[in-house]
Amino acid sequence: MLLGLAIGNGMLDPYFFEDADLHYYFYHGMVSTEDYDDLLAKCCPHTSIVRLCKISQNRNSSCQAAVSSLRRDAGAASLNLQNLYKTCIPKHKNFSTSAYVTSQRSYEYVRRLTMLKLMNRQDEQLISSYESSQSTVCGDLQMKYMNRYLNKAEVKKALHIDSRSPRWIPCGLIQYGMEFSSMKSQVKRMVDAGLKVFIFHGDFDMLCNFLGGQWFTDDLGFRITKSTHP
């Protein structure tokens, strides 16, 4: 019987996360105040509440130019988007990456293109910048440690996974067929049905960052029963 579920750093709604990472750059000191103010002036002239400003849906050319400029200044194409505080690993270094990387494209590249596809966008400049950054591979070490941890007998037992099941392997490069552009209705339906749903996002992940996660949960419209606390 399903009692609840936990979703960690999930891509719950691409619009929230696509907008949130622009603010994430500024909040982490990656772009100047002048460039951030220019973004807000060109993309959000009618609201002072950043989470209500739908930057990714703004097709104004000056707004889109400001977005591309901010991403370029933040160096987003060459950063480890799964962990801002870790460097990417040059491909030529040999530390047995073949078990964790099955494509010339990094996990970040695939995730970014997936996000753009969900929003029916073809940002050629952004795609080009990601393609040119593929001299490095990100996420390998995370996958290595996850692979080791999730295949431990005691972990599989705790997760109620049959000991005869195949080994866990990363599947980030599988070509998924997207059925939903947002998980809002599914999450609301589960909560309304009495399931416990725990949604959490860490500070390291740049794509599915904590801002987008917070905006997504705020948008669900549920009554707050306990205020934010340490």
Side-chain angles (χ1 to χ4, degrees):
M1 179 180 179
L2 180 64
L3 299 178
L5 69 155
I7 304 171
N9 284 54
M11 177 55 72
L12 298 168
D13 189 305
Y15 288 105
F16 281 121
F17 289 106
E18 180 75 358
D19 287 345
D21 65 4
L22 297 167
H23 305 291
Y24 182 96
Y25 300 150
F26 176 67
Y27 297 157
H28 284 73
M30 298 163 63
V31 296
S32 69
T33 300
E34 292 79 9
D35 287 343
Y36 183 66
D37 287 345
D38 182 60
L39 175 81
L40 298 181
K42 291 177 178 177
C43 298
C44 316
H46 304 300
T47 178
S48 59
I49 304 175
V50 294
R51 71 181 179 88
L52 298 181
C53 176
K54 307 300 184 182
I55 298 176
S56 61
Q57 300 178 48
N58 190 330
R59 295 294 184 264
N60 182 281
S61 59
S62 62
C63 171
Q64 291 305 308
V67 169
S68 296
S69 176
L70 196 77
R71 291 196 189 284
R72 185 171 56 251
D73 291 346
S78 60
L79 294 173
N80 186 333
L81 302 187
Q82 290 184 337
N83 187 340
L84 172 62
Y85 303 110
K86 279 192 176 292
T87 57
C88 297
I89 299 101
K91 281 182 180 176
H92 66 271
K93 286 193 175 181
N94 181 18
F95 68 105
S96 301
T97 62
S98 58
Y100 311 103
V101 180
T102 58
S103 170
Q104 292 297 307
R105 295 176 174 178
S106 70
Y107 288 101
E108 286 74 20
Y109 177 79
V110 174
R111 291 171 71 186
R112 176 65 72 183
L113 291 191
T114 299
M115 183 185 292
L116 292 174
K117 180 180 178 182
L118 282 170
M119 295 186 296
N120 296 314
R121 288 182 56 196
Q122 289 295 322
D123 190 327
E124 297 299 334
Q125 183 177 5
L126 181 61
I127 292 173
S128 176
S129 68
Y130 270 80
E131 288 179 333
S132 66
S133 71
Q134 297 310 300
S135 60
T136 59
V137 175
C138 304
D140 309 1
L141 290 178
Q142 291 95 316
M143 292 298 106
K144 180 177 181 179
Y145 297 140
M146 286 177 64
N147 186 64
R148 184 183 302 166
Y149 177 76
L150 290 174
N151 284 302
K152 286 185 174 182
E154 59 269 32
V155 173
K156 293 174 74 172
K157 182 179 179 181
L159 295 174
H160 307 289
I161 297 173
D162 194 315
S163 60
R164 298 165 295 179
S165 64
R167 287 181 57 80
W168 183 91
I169 58 173
C171 60
L173 296 174
I174 290 177
Q175 296 301 311
Y176 292 103
M178 297 293 178
E179 295 185 34
F180 308 102
S181 60
S182 173
M183 298 305 295
K184 179 179 177 179
S185 62
Q186 286 82 356
V187 172
K188 284 180 64 69
R189 190 161 65 246
M190 287 187 286
V191 174
D192 290 338
L195 292 176
K196 300 291 185 181
V197 180
F198 177 44
I199 296 174
F200 60 97
H201 290 80
D203 180 51
F204 291 2
D205 189 328
M206 294 176 63
L207 279 181
C208 300
N209 64 64
F210 72 97
L211 284 173
Q214 184 170 312
W215 295 350
F216 174 83
T217 54
D218 288 345
D219 195 55
L220 293 173
F222 291 120
R223 181 174 59 88
I224 295 175
T225 60
K226 188 174 183 178
S227 62
T228 302
H229 59 282

